[in-house]
Amino acid sequence: MARLDRPGPHGSAAEIRTLPQALRRFVAHPRPPVLLGCVGAVGVVRAVRGPLRRRDVVTAAACLAAQPFVEWAVHRGLLHARPGGRLGSVGYQLAGYGHEQHHRDPTNLDTMFLRPREVTAGGALAVGLAALGPPAVGTAAVCAGLGALAYDWTHFLVHTAVRPSNRFYRRVWRGHRLHHYRNERYWLGVTSPVADMVLGTSPARDDVPVSPTARGAARRAAPGLPTGA
């Protein structure tokens, strides 16, 4: 596992200013290729199970609809878990501590991506489900992997100095930066703002205070911080 997760420093996302440069840095970092390999392995296993059918299309559509809400729940309940109580302490040990380090230095590429130990465990489970379960379960496993890949890539890109080029991505970009540099209790979506809009965590910027954790050097150093955030 240590070979898959080589120690840094790996630099700062703030140094990245173009989309081609972002793609190169994404695949050059030791963590994203592990996720790419796991998603590819699940895709191959599903492909040998036979062609896609109507049930697979329905499954994929359901996964697409669920993605923003799963992402929101994981972000709020696991990544922002804090010590205190049995569940909170377990969540903090599993993911909360690492995510806390990311919030302390949001552009640091050492704490940016999903870790290989979780990715490989999840990938092994997904391969097993795709191989042994009904084909539609394999389709769901592929969709889950693609959702994780979309999360990792979007999360990374938002923290670079690459500016938004379309309205939808600008909405995602602005929301996640407000999550980091305004108040981490809001704007919990990364690949989509849908769950925040439905669940009431996408307020107007000035309706919530700047949280203590959003102050300091990391906030001042944020590239392209939304005006007034």
Side-chain angles (χ1 to χ4, degrees), residues 196-219:
D196 284 310
M197 295 168 63
V198 172
L199 298 173
T201 49
S202 182
R205 182 198 66 210
D206 295 332
D207 286 350
V208 296
V210 178
S211 68
T213 55
R215 300 179 186 274
R219 184 171 184 270

PDB file of all heavy atoms in Angstrom, residues 196-219:
ATOM      1  N   ASP A 196     -27.669  20.166  -2.342  1.00  0.00           N
ATOM      2  CA  ASP A 196     -27.664  21.379  -1.516  1.00  0.00           C
ATOM      3  C   ASP A 196     -28.930  22.189  -1.737  1.00  0.00           C
ATOM      4  O   ASP A 196     -29.507  22.727  -0.783  1.00  0.00           O
ATOM      5  CB  ASP A 196     -26.437  22.231  -1.844  1.00  0.00           C
ATOM      6  CG  ASP A 196     -25.161  21.680  -1.258  1.00  0.00           C
ATOM      7  OD1 ASP A 196     -25.150  21.387  -0.046  1.00  0.00           O
ATOM      8  OD2 ASP A 196     -24.178  21.530  -2.001  1.00  0.00           O
ATOM      9  N   MET A 197     -29.384  22.283  -2.983  1.00  0.00           N
ATOM     10  CA  MET A 197     -30.591  23.038  -3.282  1.00  0.00           C
ATOM     11  C   MET A 197     -31.813  22.376  -2.650  1.00  0.00           C
ATOM     12  O   MET A 197     -32.676  23.040  -2.081  1.00  0.00           O
ATOM     13  CB  MET A 197     -30.761  23.149  -4.801  1.00  0.00           C
ATOM     14  CG  MET A 197     -29.661  23.961  -5.471  1.00  0.00           C
ATOM     15  SD  MET A 197     -29.666  23.792  -7.274  1.00  0.00           S
ATOM     16  CE  MET A 197     -31.266  24.485  -7.687  1.00  0.00           C
ATOM     17  N   VAL A 198     -31.890  21.052  -2.721  1.00  0.00           N
ATOM     18  CA  VAL A 198     -33.042  20.325  -2.192  1.00  0.00           C
ATOM     19  C   VAL A 198     -33.035  20.310  -0.662  1.00  0.00           C
ATOM     20  O   VAL A 198     -34.086  20.448  -0.016  1.00  0.00           O
ATOM     21  CB  VAL A 198     -33.065  18.880  -2.741  1.00  0.00           C
ATOM     22  CG1 VAL A 198     -34.137  18.046  -2.055  1.00  0.00           C
ATOM     23  CG2 VAL A 198     -33.288  18.893  -4.253  1.00  0.00           C
ATOM     24  N   LEU A 199     -31.868  20.165  -0.063  1.00  0.00           N
ATOM     25  CA  LEU A 199     -31.755  19.967   1.382  1.00  0.00           C
ATOM     26  C   LEU A 199     -31.469  21.251   2.155  1.00  0.00           C
ATOM     27  O   LEU A 199     -31.248  21.225   3.364  1.00  0.00           O
ATOM     28  CB  LEU A 199     -30.664  18.931   1.668  1.00  0.00           C
ATOM     29  CG  LEU A 199     -30.948  17.540   1.070  1.00  0.00           C
ATOM     30  CD1 LEU A 199     -29.753  16.624   1.245  1.00  0.00           C
ATOM     31  CD2 LEU A 199     -32.186  16.920   1.698  1.00  0.00           C
ATOM     32  N   GLY A 200     -31.458  22.376   1.463  1.00  0.00           N
ATOM     33  CA  GLY A 200     -31.361  23.654   2.143  1.00  0.00           C
ATOM     34  C   GLY A 200     -29.985  24.050   2.614  1.00  0.00           C
ATOM     35  O   GLY A 200     -29.853  24.821   3.567  1.00  0.00           O
ATOM     36  N   THR A 201     -28.944  23.551   1.956  1.00  0.00           N
ATOM     37  CA  THR A 201     -27.583  23.917   2.356  1.00  0.00           C
ATOM     38  C   THR A 201     -26.875  24.723   1.261  1.00  0.00           C
ATOM     39  O   THR A 201     -25.660  24.669   1.120  1.00  0.00           O
ATOM     40  CB  THR A 201     -26.761  22.657   2.700  1.00  0.00           C
ATOM     41  OG1 THR A 201     -26.905  21.695   1.648  1.00  0.00           O
ATOM     42  CG2 THR A 201     -27.221  22.057   4.013  1.00  0.00           C
ATOM     43  N   SER A 202     -27.662  25.469   0.500  1.00  0.00           N
ATOM     44  CA  SER A 202     -27.093  26.339  -0.520  1.00  0.00           C
ATOM     45  C   SER A 202     -27.652  27.755  -0.355  1.00  0.00           C
ATOM     46  O   SER A 202     -28.368  28.269  -1.214  1.00  0.00           O
ATOM     47  CB  SER A 202     -27.418  25.805  -1.923  1.00  0.00           C
ATOM     48  OG  SER A 202     -26.821  26.623  -2.929  1.00  0.00           O
ATOM     49  N   PRO A 203     -27.368  28.381   0.778  1.00  0.00           N
ATOM     50  CA  PRO A 203     -27.917  29.715   1.041  1.00  0.00           C
ATOM     51  C   PRO A 203     -27.199  30.780   0.224  1.00  0.00           C
ATOM     52  O   PRO A 203     -26.169  30.524  -0.404  1.00  0.00           O
ATOM     53  CB  PRO A 203     -27.640  29.899   2.531  1.00  0.00           C
ATOM     54  CG  PRO A 203     -26.376  29.135   2.754  1.00  0.00           C
ATOM     55  CD  PRO A 203     -26.482  27.920   1.851  1.00  0.00           C
ATOM     56  N   ALA A 204     -27.731  31.977   0.239  1.00  0.00           N
ATOM     57  CA  ALA A 204     -26.991  33.116  -0.296  1.00  0.00           C
ATOM     58  C   ALA A 204     -25.729  33.296   0.543  1.00  0.00           C
ATOM     59  O   ALA A 204     -25.744  33.066   1.754  1.00  0.00           O
ATOM     60  CB  ALA A 204     -27.848  34.371  -0.248  1.00  0.00           C
ATOM     61  N   ARG A 205     -24.673  33.690  -0.103  1.00  0.00           N
ATOM     62  CA  ARG A 205     -23.373  33.784   0.574  1.00  0.00           C
ATOM     63  C   ARG A 205     -23.429  34.595   1.857  1.00  0.00           C
ATOM     64  O   ARG A 205     -22.912  34.185   2.905  1.00  0.00           O
ATOM     65  CB  ARG A 205     -22.363  34.424  -0.382  1.00  0.00           C
ATOM     66  CG  ARG A 205     -20.948  34.542   0.159  1.00  0.00           C
ATOM     67  CD  ARG A 205     -20.153  35.559  -0.634  1.00  0.00           C
ATOM     68  NE  ARG A 205     -20.713  36.877  -0.437  1.00  0.00           N
ATOM     69  CZ  ARG A 205     -20.670  37.860  -1.338  1.00  0.00           C
ATOM     70  NH1 ARG A 205     -20.121  37.648  -2.507  1.00  0.00           N
ATOM     71  NH2 ARG A 205     -21.196  39.039  -1.082  1.00  0.00           N
ATOM     72  N   ASP A 206     -24.113  35.744   1.835  1.00  0.00           N
ATOM     73  CA  ASP A 206     -24.107  36.638   2.987  1.00  0.00           C
ATOM     74  C   ASP A 206     -25.103  36.241   4.068  1.00  0.00           C
ATOM     75  O   ASP A 206     -25.175  36.896   5.107  1.00  0.00           O
ATOM     76  CB  ASP A 206     -24.399  38.071   2.534  1.00  0.00           C
ATOM     77  CG  ASP A 206     -23.291  38.616   1.633  1.00  0.00           C
ATOM     78  OD1 ASP A 206     -22.137  38.171   1.792  1.00  0.00           O
ATOM     79  OD2 ASP A 206     -23.586  39.477   0.786  1.00  0.00           O
ATOM     80  N   ASP A 207     -25.862  35.145   3.841  1.00  0.00           N
ATOM     81  CA  ASP A 207     -26.815  34.680   4.851  1.00  0.00           C
ATOM     82  C   ASP A 207     -26.161  33.838   5.946  1.00  0.00           C
ATOM     83  O   ASP A 207     -26.816  33.522   6.949  1.00  0.00           O
ATOM     84  CB  ASP A 207     -27.934  33.866   4.203  1.00  0.00           C
ATOM     85  CG  ASP A 207     -28.912  34.744   3.440  1.00  0.00           C
ATOM     86  OD1 ASP A 207     -28.822  35.984   3.567  1.00  0.00           O
ATOM     87  OD2 ASP A 207     -29.760  34.193   2.698  1.00  0.00           O
ATOM     88  N   VAL A 208     -24.908  33.451   5.754  1.00  0.00           N
ATOM     89  CA  VAL A 208     -24.212  32.655   6.774  1.00  0.00           C
ATOM     90  C   VAL A 208     -22.902  33.348   7.127  1.00  0.00           C
ATOM     91  O   VAL A 208     -22.282  34.007   6.283  1.00  0.00           O
ATOM     92  CB  VAL A 208     -23.929  31.212   6.292  1.00  0.00           C
ATOM     93  CG1 VAL A 208     -25.232  30.471   6.058  1.00  0.00           C
ATOM     94  CG2 VAL A 208     -23.084  31.201   5.032  1.00  0.00           C
ATOM     95  N   PRO A 209     -22.473  33.232   8.379  1.00  0.00           N
ATOM     96  CA  PRO A 209     -21.222  33.892   8.789  1.00  0.00           C
ATOM     97  C   PRO A 209     -20.004  33.129   8.284  1.00  0.00           C
ATOM     98  O   PRO A 209     -20.084  31.952   7.933  1.00  0.00           O
ATOM     99  CB  PRO A 209     -21.290  33.843  10.316  1.00  0.00           C
ATOM    100  CG  PRO A 209     -22.079  32.587  10.586  1.00  0.00           C
ATOM    101  CD  PRO A 209     -23.116  32.508   9.498  1.00  0.00           C
ATOM    102  N   VAL A 210     -18.888  33.810   8.279  1.00  0.00           N
ATOM    103  CA  VAL A 210     -17.622  33.142   7.994  1.00  0.00           C
ATOM    104  C   VAL A 210     -17.242  32.340   9.235  1.00  0.00           C
ATOM    105  O   VAL A 210     -17.154  32.893  10.329  1.00  0.00           O
ATOM    106  CB  VAL A 210     -16.513  34.157   7.667  1.00  0.00           C
ATOM    107  CG1 VAL A 210     -15.184  33.454   7.429  1.00  0.00           C
ATOM    108  CG2 VAL A 210     -16.898  34.995   6.451  1.00  0.00           C
ATOM    109  N   SER A 211     -17.070  31.034   9.076  1.00  0.00           N
ATOM    110  CA  SER A 211     -16.778  30.188  10.231  1.00  0.00           C
ATOM    111  C   SER A 211     -15.332  30.361  10.664  1.00  0.00           C
ATOM    112  O   SER A 211     -14.474  30.755   9.864  1.00  0.00           O
ATOM    113  CB  SER A 211     -17.049  28.722   9.892  1.00  0.00           C
ATOM    114  OG  SER A 211     -16.118  28.260   8.944  1.00  0.00           O
ATOM    115  N   PRO A 212     -15.026  30.052  11.931  1.00  0.00           N
ATOM    116  CA  PRO A 212     -13.641  30.190  12.409  1.00  0.00           C
ATOM    117  C   PRO A 212     -12.645  29.376  11.597  1.00  0.00           C
ATOM    118  O   PRO A 212     -11.506  29.802  11.405  1.00  0.00           O
ATOM    119  CB  PRO A 212     -13.726  29.691  13.856  1.00  0.00           C
ATOM    120  CG  PRO A 212     -15.145  29.919  14.254  1.00  0.00           C
ATOM    121  CD  PRO A 212     -15.952  29.676  13.007  1.00  0.00           C
ATOM    122  N   THR A 213     -13.068  28.196  11.111  1.00  0.00           N
ATOM    123  CA  THR A 213     -12.140  27.355  10.357  1.00  0.00           C
ATOM    124  C   THR A 213     -11.888  27.876   8.958  1.00  0.00           C
ATOM    125  O   THR A 213     -11.002  27.386   8.261  1.00  0.00           O
ATOM    126  CB  THR A 213     -12.679  25.919  10.267  1.00  0.00           C
ATOM    127  OG1 THR A 213     -13.997  25.953   9.705  1.00  0.00           O
ATOM    128  CG2 THR A 213     -12.733  25.268  11.624  1.00  0.00           C
ATOM    129  N   ALA A 214     -12.676  28.858   8.510  1.00  0.00           N
ATOM    130  CA  ALA A 214     -12.480  29.418   7.173  1.00  0.00           C
ATOM    131  C   ALA A 214     -11.629  30.680   7.207  1.00  0.00           C
ATOM    132  O   ALA A 214     -11.437  31.333   6.195  1.00  0.00           O
ATOM    133  CB  ALA A 214     -13.830  29.721   6.518  1.00  0.00           C
ATOM    134  N   ARG A 215     -11.115  31.014   8.356  1.00  0.00           N
ATOM    135  CA  ARG A 215     -10.278  32.203   8.485  1.00  0.00           C
ATOM    136  C   ARG A 215      -8.802  31.823   8.392  1.00  0.00           C
ATOM    137  O   ARG A 215      -8.433  30.668   8.466  1.00  0.00           O
ATOM    138  CB  ARG A 215     -10.537  32.900   9.819  1.00  0.00           C
ATOM    139  CG  ARG A 215     -11.986  33.349   9.982  1.00  0.00           C
ATOM    140  CD  ARG A 215     -12.172  34.021  11.332  1.00  0.00           C
ATOM    141  NE  ARG A 215     -13.579  34.342  11.567  1.00  0.00           N
ATOM    142  CZ  ARG A 215     -14.177  35.445  11.148  1.00  0.00           C
ATOM    143  NH1 ARG A 215     -13.486  36.333  10.456  1.00  0.00           N
ATOM    144  NH2 ARG A 215     -15.444  35.664  11.412  1.00  0.00           N
ATOM    145  N   GLY A 216      -7.952  32.799   8.267  1.00  0.00           N
ATOM    146  CA  GLY A 216      -6.520  32.566   8.364  1.00  0.00           C
ATOM    147  C   GLY A 216      -5.813  32.480   7.035  1.00  0.00           C
ATOM    148  O   GLY A 216      -6.334  32.833   5.984  1.00  0.00           O
ATOM    149  N   ALA A 217      -4.580  31.960   7.086  1.00  0.00           N
ATOM    150  CA  ALA A 217      -3.687  31.980   5.925  1.00  0.00           C
ATOM    151  C   ALA A 217      -4.242  31.192   4.755  1.00  0.00           C
ATOM    152  O   ALA A 217      -4.115  31.607   3.603  1.00  0.00           O
ATOM    153  CB  ALA A 217      -2.315  31.438   6.325  1.00  0.00           C
ATOM    154  N   ALA A 218      -4.848  30.033   5.017  1.00  0.00           N
ATOM    155  CA  ALA A 218      -5.355  29.216   3.917  1.00  0.00           C
ATOM    156  C   ALA A 218      -6.429  29.967   3.149  1.00  0.00           C
ATOM    157  O   ALA A 218      -6.486  29.915   1.920  1.00  0.00           O
ATOM    158  CB  ALA A 218      -5.912  27.899   4.458  1.00  0.00           C
ATOM    159  N   ARG A 219      -7.307  30.702   3.858  1.00  0.00           N
ATOM    160  CA  ARG A 219      -8.357  31.447   3.193  1.00  0.00           C
ATOM    161  C   ARG A 219      -7.779  32.596   2.370  1.00  0.00           C
ATOM    162  O   ARG A 219      -8.192  32.858   1.249  1.00  0.00           O
ATOM    163  CB  ARG A 219      -9.351  31.979   4.239  1.00  0.00           C
ATOM    164  CG  ARG A 219     -10.538  32.691   3.619  1.00  0.00           C
ATOM    165  CD  ARG A 219     -11.580  32.988   4.696  1.00  0.00           C
ATOM    166  NE  ARG A 219     -12.757  33.581   4.079  1.00  0.00           N
ATOM    167  CZ  ARG A 219     -12.940  34.874   3.904  1.00  0.00           C
ATOM    168  NH1 ARG A 219     -12.013  35.725   4.303  1.00  0.00           N
ATOM    169  NH2 ARG A 219     -14.041  35.352   3.339  1.00  0.00           N
TER     170      ARG A 219
END
